[in-house]
Amino acid sequence: MTLRERLQAWRYNLIPDHIIGEILQKRWTDNAIPFLALVITVAVFGSAISGFFNLMSLQASTRQLGEFILVVIGLSVVMLGGGIDLAVGSIFALGAFAAVTCFFIFHLPTSVAFLAALVTGIVFGAVNGYLIGYLRLRAFLTTLVTFIIGRALYEILVVNFGSKVQLSDASSDMWDFIGDGTILGLSVSMFVALVLAVVTHIALTRSRPGWHVLAVGGSRRSAHNAGIRVRHTVFLTYVFSGACSAVAGFLIATRLSGAGPGTGQGLEILALTAAVVGGNSLGGGRGSVAKGLMGAVIVLVMTNGLIRLGYGTGTNQMVLGLLLAAAVTIDIRWLKNRHKVLNEVYVAPVYLRLGKAESAEPGSGTQYELNNQLSEASAIGLGELEGPEDVILDRDENLYCGTRHGEIIRFFAPDYTRHEVFAHIGGFPLGLAFDRDENLLSCVGAMGLYKIAPDGEVTRLSAETRRSLTSIQDDARLRDPNDLDIAPDGKIYFTDSTKRYDAHEWAIDSIENRGTGRLLVYDPATDKTTTLLDGYRYTNGVAMAHDNKSLLFCESWANRIHRYWLEGPKAGTAECVIRDMPGYPDNINRASDGNYWMAWLGMRTPSFDLSLRHPGMRKRMARRLPQDEWLFPNINTGGIVKFNDKGEILQTFGDLSGQSHPMVTSIREHKGELFIGGILNNRIGRFKIEGADPNWTALDEYWGKRP
């Protein structure tokens, strides 16, 4: 290794560039900017204002903050549903007036005053919801009109009845407690706001109506096509917003024991600014209650802080305007460019120098020399299949394979001309294996480990393992479960090829070539999945050794085969059996003579091997070129290799014509024949093996003869 290559290895293998992409991909990163703004705002005004953190000062502020949070929660739900509500200030004022009228003029109980405020908010919210949800009017114009009408109505009522409220001698301990009391050290308004925030968050993230709101905000057409009652959902968001604003109005009425001309004035701008500054998208479908809470604290601390520092209303409004403009700009630009930024930084290649491989070219005379015998293989299901990645036969000699349409297809013996859909799983069924009870097990790309009973019933066995405590990425989810095999005790050993990319992005993983593949085991007795080995470059095929004391698995991008010991002094450790192959290994299965069959999905090329030593070039390629112009591993030429327990190569087969099986991802020996699968093929191959045992089947060797 030259000094330049050594420096490249240090730079790209030791500096974790991929962490930036992992962090930006997290949903919680949307909260990073508002949270940082919150910390800065509190720190700046806390240090600039004497007594800012005084207990009495904070308690007084939380009363106002609780009322404000209620309004912001309601508006946030409307925004998550893809709408906007400019009438919250008017509804807030009318709710307050309804409460003080019932209590001070009509001398009704506090509970009735609360119900009056709540009904007022619900009615105004229902009007907005009906006009926008059912009549499909523009949300901005509709709520602007109801804001103007509501504000005008409030001003008329205040002028005519305000004096009666001021001269009333009505009093109530409950009214006073709500306005001035505390619950668990919190003001009543703040306590109510926090309870509502928790309930709303749970409803949005854990309930069907909440999911409907987010779905409608994300895409109304898609939500409608999915069967969601879009108009009804939009209607309910405005009713909820109106109710929240009215409850907040009731709380300010109890705190001030009245309502004046300035009640709720400008509140809609404050609430809208808070919701957007917190990170709730104006486009809908993206945001949360927590973001609204952060925005509410930022806006209220900033406005109150500026007033306490001696700045006037004009300065306050200008700052809010600038804050809203900045938040909207960040929201729109980030929403538009997030995927571009991720595409720029997510693919983080590492340095790898592969060992020199022996040639597999015809006439080379090496142990890997390919021939053209696979071109003679007959075809099963020609033109009727798409992507039979793995193939397997049952005890009745019926043939099974997965397809890229998420189905398991069964071809009926003996001629395999008739077939049916045995089961529909979804995803992309990859590795297959039969257990002792003749259940068919499958690794399904991007979904997990599944079991299909003989009657076709599908059961998910595992979709996750325990998350690593030190991992930035969420490595609990199985992103690319690939191949599996079953031990005599029923434990299922399988590979998860990469933790960073989904199954359909396997080619991108080859560009990055980072060691994110792992070997796992699922124990049916405990229903737990455990990670055994980690840090391999695209773990792939798995096969139990003939003695059942170890298993073999592939490391595709490193061109190696490893043995993992289950028993003996080496139990729990792995060792390399074959290294520096000229092809990329895929599935492994037992052979009838005590050896093993291995598929090569493609062959190494000098150009791609060279690119692995230049991670900077691959990084620039991933950023600057469209994906169909990237330099990928060659998967247009593959083959089949037979090897023994010592790692010695015994036999090779290829299709040099490229007509039948240029790419091979799986092979199964059954009664003297090889059945061949390929993830990009449109057929299953059937190839006669000279000298093979015509009675041998894998199921008999694994589980014994049928009783």
Side-chain angles (χ1 to χ4, degrees):
M1 182 184 296
T2 65
L3 177 61
R4 181 176 179 275
E5 285 186 293
R6 193 178 301 278
L7 292 175
Q8 281 198 99
W10 290 343
R11 157 65 184 88
Y12 289 99
N13 293 10
L14 298 181
I15 298 177
D17 297 29
H18 66 289
I19 290 179
I20 298 174
E22 291 292 346
I23 291 175
L24 290 178
Q25 196 181 45
K26 304 296 184 185
R27 294 181 62 183
W28 54 259
T29 55
D30 286 347
N31 295 330
I33 294 177
F35 181 75
L36 182 62
L38 173 63
V39 172
I40 293 174
T41 301
V42 172
V44 169
F45 286 98
S47 59
I49 301 173
S50 178
F52 180 85
F53 294 108
N54 181 274
L55 183 61
M56 293 299 293
S57 175
L58 288 175
Q59 194 172 71
S61 298
T62 57
R63 298 187 190 281
Q64 184 184 5
L65 178 60
E67 298 153 8
F68 185 50
I69 285 175
L70 287 171
V71 178
V72 173
I73 289 173
L75 179 58
S76 295
V77 170
V78 170
M79 291 173 62
L80 289 173
I84 192 169
D85 191 355
L86 299 178
V88 291
S90 297
I91 298 174
F92 175 85
L94 288 169
F97 186 82
V100 297
T101 299
C102 289
F103 185 77
F104 288 109
I105 296 179
F106 297 109
H107 299 279
L108 296 173
T110 302
S111 58
V112 177
F114 171 75
L115 289 176
L118 184 62
V119 169
T120 301
I122 290 175
V123 169
F124 266 81
V127 171
N128 283 332
Y130 180 78
L131 294 174
I132 298 167
Y134 288 100
L135 298 186
R136 305 179 71 177
L137 300 182
R138 298 279 186 179
F140 183 87
L141 293 177
T142 301
T143 55
L144 179 62
V145 169
T146 53
F147 156 71
I148 294 172
I149 294 174
R151 194 73 209 176
L153 179 61
Y154 174 75
E155 296 291 347
I156 293 171
L157 292 172
V158 166
V159 168
N160 288 293
F161 298 98
S163 59
K164 293 183 179 180
V165 173
Q166 294 176 358
L167 296 174
S168 174
D169 59 353
S171 64
S172 166
D173 292 338
M174 179 60 70
W175 182 275
D176 294 337
F177 172 76
I178 295 173
D180 299 320
T182 59
I183 300 176
L184 301 176
L186 295 172
S187 61
V188 174
S189 61
M190 192 64 183
F191 181 82
V192 171
L194 292 178
V195 170
L196 182 64
V198 172
V199 172
T200 306
H201 172 75
I202 294 174
L204 286 172
T205 57
R206 298 292 186 273
S207 73
R208 192 178 300 274
W211 299 336
H212 288 179
V213 170
L214 296 176
V216 169
S219 173
R220 293 195 178 186
R221 182 181 296 275
S222 298
H224 173 75
N225 292 338
I228 296 174
R229 299 167 61 192
V230 174
R231 296 183 179 185
H232 181 70
T233 301
V234 172
F235 172 81
L236 290 180
T237 61
Y238 283 94
V239 171
F240 180 76
S241 177
C244 289
S245 297
V247 170
F250 168 77
L251 292 171
I252 195 175
T254 60
R255 178 164 62 91
L256 301 179
S257 291
T263 301
Q265 196 163 17
L267 181 60
E268 56 282 335
I269 301 300
L270 288 172
L272 180 61
T273 303
V276 176
V277 166
N280 291 309
S281 175
L282 286 170
R286 186 169 61 87
S288 65
V289 173
K291 292 179 178 180
L293 290 177
M294 287 191 290
V297 175
I298 291 170
V299 169
L300 202 63
V301 168
M302 188 171 290
T303 54
N304 288 350
L306 289 172
I307 292 172
R308 292 176 64 175
L309 289 173
Y311 293 98
T313 305
T315 303
N316 241 324
Q317 292 177 344
M318 182 180 69
V319 170
L320 284 177
L322 293 173
L323 193 62
L324 181 59
V328 170
T329 301
I330 292 173
D331 172 61
I332 294 175
R333 298 302 297 177
W334 175 244
L335 182 64
K336 182 178 180 180
N337 296 300
R338 178 174 185 171
H339 290 294
K340 293 181 180 178
V341 174
L342 277 172
N343 289 338
E344 285 283 322
V345 302
Y346 194 80
V347 180
V350 296
Y351 174 91
L352 175 64
R353 186 186 183 101
L354 293 174
K356 186 177 180 180
E358 295 184 60
S359 175
E361 293 184 6
S364 61
T366 70
Q367 58 181 341
Y368 293 112
E369 178 185 355
L370 289 175
N371 53 44
N372 196 36
Q373 292 188 41
L374 287 187
S375 63
E376 302 171 3
S378 60
I380 298 173
L382 179 61
E384 299 175 340
L385 295 173
E386 288 189 45
E389 197 272 348
D390 196 10
V391 294
I392 196 169
L393 295 98
D394 63 16
R395 290 189 183 275
D396 296 320
E397 301 190 37
N398 298 315
L399 178 64
Y400 299 76
C401 70
T403 74
R404 64 177 66 255
H405 301 296
E407 297 169 338
I408 302 289
I409 304 296
R410 173 164 60 185
F411 287 86
F412 293 100
D415 55 5
Y416 305 114
T417 56
R418 294 186 305 113
H419 66 273
E420 67 175 3
V421 176
F422 175 61
H424 182 83
I425 301 178
F428 196 159
L430 301 174
L432 302 170
F434 277 109
D435 67 11
R436 190 184 300 275
D437 299 321
E438 299 188 36
N439 297 301
L440 181 59
L441 305 179
S442 176
C443 285
V444 183
M447 291 178 59
L449 183 65
Y450 282 74
K451 179 179 75 174
I452 305 99
D455 61 0
E457 181 183 359
V458 178
T459 304
R460 187 178 72 179
L461 299 180
S462 176
E464 61 182 13
T465 183
R466 180 176 295 179
R467 179 169 181 171
S468 304
L469 296 177
T470 58
S471 176
I472 297 295
Q473 67 193 92
D474 183 5
D475 59 355
R477 182 166 69 94
L478 304 179
R479 301 193 67 164
D480 191 6
N482 202 315
D483 194 27
L484 74 157
D485 209 350
I486 308 171
D489 60 2
K491 291 182 180 178
I492 303 166
Y493 294 88
F494 66 103
T495 52
D496 188 22
S497 296
T498 169
K499 298 180 293 187
R500 273 174 61 78
Y501 297 97
D502 289 331
H504 67 280
E505 297 174 314
W506 61 269
I508 303 178
D509 184 77
S510 73
I511 296 295
E512 187 173 273
N513 223 277
R514 189 176 293 276
T516 58
R518 50 189 173 173
L519 176 69
L520 307 100
V521 59
Y522 170 78
D523 188 349
T526 61
D527 196 31
K528 299 293 183 182
T529 299
T530 306
T531 300
L532 301 175
L533 298 173
D534 201 349
Y536 290 81
R537 288 178 165 87
Y538 207 80
T539 48
N540 207 321
V542 180
M544 292 295 301
H546 285 278
D547 61 4
N548 290 321
K549 294 181 180 180
S550 63
L551 60 84
L552 300 162
F553 70 94
C554 296
E555 187 180 10
S556 294
W557 305 143
N559 312 105
R560 295 186 291 207
I561 304 294
H562 301 272
R563 182 191 300 275
Y564 178 77
W565 292 94
L566 304 176
E567 300 179 18
K570 298 180 181 179
T573 64
E575 60 184 14
C576 186
V577 177
I578 308 176
R579 64 177 73 246
D580 299 328
M581 288 186 290
Y584 300 109
D586 205 299
N587 287 3
I588 309 175
N589 284 300
R590 291 180 180 179
S592 58
D593 57 2
N595 298 308
Y596 307 91
W597 295 107
M598 170 180 60
W600 274 349
L601 66 94
M603 305 300 294
R604 286 169 57 178
T605 59
S607 58
F608 192 76
D609 283 3
L610 180 62
S611 73
L612 295 179
R613 293 157 53 188
H614 296 275
M617 182 278 291
R618 304 200 317 274
K619 190 172 185 177
R620 291 190 296 272
M621 177 183 71
R623 289 181 176 181
R624 299 175 184 177
L625 296 180
Q627 196 171 127
D628 57 358
E629 295 182 13
W630 288 6
L631 179 65
F632 288 116
N634 169 39
I635 56 174
N636 296 318
T637 303
I640 298 173
V641 178
K642 189 185 220 181
F643 67 96
N644 60 21
D645 279 303
K646 298 179 180 179
E648 298 170 337
I649 307 303
L650 306 177
Q651 202 170 6
T652 59
F653 299 100
D655 179 7
L656 304 179
S657 68
Q659 298 298 314
S660 298
H661 295 283
M663 177 198 198
V664 181
T665 56
S666 65
I667 61 280
R668 297 277 180 176
E669 182 179 343
H670 183 83
K671 293 190 175 181
E673 293 182 307
L674 287 182
F675 291 83
I676 308 164
I679 197 171
L680 299 182
N681 292 354
N682 65 348
R683 73 195 76 189
I684 296 172
R686 188 177 187 180
F687 180 73
K688 181 74 173 178
I689 318 170
E690 293 184 8
D693 184 348
N695 299 311
W696 184 90
T697 70
L699 286 182
D700 287 345
E701 172 157 322
Y702 269 82
W703 311 118
K705 297 284 186 180
R706 174 181 281 174

